[in-house]
Amino acid sequence: MVVPFATAAKEMGLKREDIVLQSKCGIRKGYFDFSKEHILKSVDGILSRLETDYLDVLALHRPDALVEAEEVAEAFRILKESGKVLHFGVSNQNSYQMELLQSYLDEPLAINQLQLSPAHTPLIDAGIHVNMKDDAATMRDGGLIDYCQLKNITI
């Protein structure tokens, strides 16, 4: 039996202020949508489904090479001022994608949700294989782990 999150949280006696809720938005069937309207509508839907007034973190799901960073920043500003989202982040973005978005934001990005598992370790491999002649030494991520550490972005 599947129990909705809000129901399970209530049944377990969880207080909203004792948990961290993070969600993502930006992917529609077959394409990315980081428009202000879609972000705002997505957050309203997320809050309704989770039966809560705010998210601790909202992340843009995957990178969009054609992102309009000013429009995203405007959506983030509205969500922050309304109290619907406390912090913002991204998922699987490289350092330049984050820098572009950050240049329009009033506060630092809090997180970058990265694809990383015991079976998928290229982010770590690149750091271990520095100055070697094997394929793992190829810097495909632009030093993303180091960048996030420098910028205090939680991975």
Side-chain angles (χ1 to χ4, degrees), residues 46-106:
I46 293 164
L47 295 176
S48 175
R49 287 188 300 278
L50 294 177
E51 297 180 28
T52 188
D53 296 329
Y54 70 96
L55 292 173
D56 295 283
V57 182
L58 175 70
L60 296 177
H61 195 175
R62 308 287 309 176
D64 177 3
L66 302 176
V67 66
E68 295 289 340
E70 284 180 283
E71 192 166 342
V72 171
E74 176 63 14
F76 282 7
R77 183 189 62 73
I78 291 168
L79 291 168
K80 179 78 171 189
E81 288 177 359
S82 69
K84 292 180 179 181
V85 179
L86 303 182
H87 305 283
F88 299 95
V90 295
S91 125
N92 293 293
Q93 292 196 10
N94 67 36
S95 55
Y96 287 105
Q97 291 166 328
M98 288 188 288
E99 281 290 322
L100 172 64
L101 182 56
Q102 188 64 68
S103 71
Y104 291 95
L105 298 176
D106 296 330

Side-chain angles (χ1 to χ4, degrees), residues 3 13 22 24 26 39 42 51 58 64-65 67 73 75 97 115 120 123 132 143 150:
V3 178
Q22 175 181 317
K24 299 183 286 191
I39 292 170
S42 293
E51 297 180 28
L58 175 70
D64 177 3
V67 66
Q97 291 166 328
Q115 183 176 348
H120 186 83
L123 291 168
M132 294 184 172
L150 283 169

Side-chain angles (χ1 to χ4, degrees), residues 112-125:
N112 189 358
Q113 179 186 320
L114 299 172
Q115 183 176 348
L116 181 65
S117 73
H120 186 83
T121 61
L123 291 168
I124 295 170
D125 297 344

Side-chain angles (χ1 to χ4, degrees), residues 8-34:
K10 287 175 189 170
E11 288 177 3
M12 293 172 60
L14 294 175
K15 296 178 186 170
R16 172 61 185 94
E17 59 274 9
D18 292 339
I19 60 175
V20 174
L21 284 178
Q22 175 181 317
S23 193
K24 299 183 286 191
C25 70
I27 295 181
R28 289 185 164 197
K29 259 191 174 168
Y31 67 99
F32 295 100
D33 187 351
F34 290 175

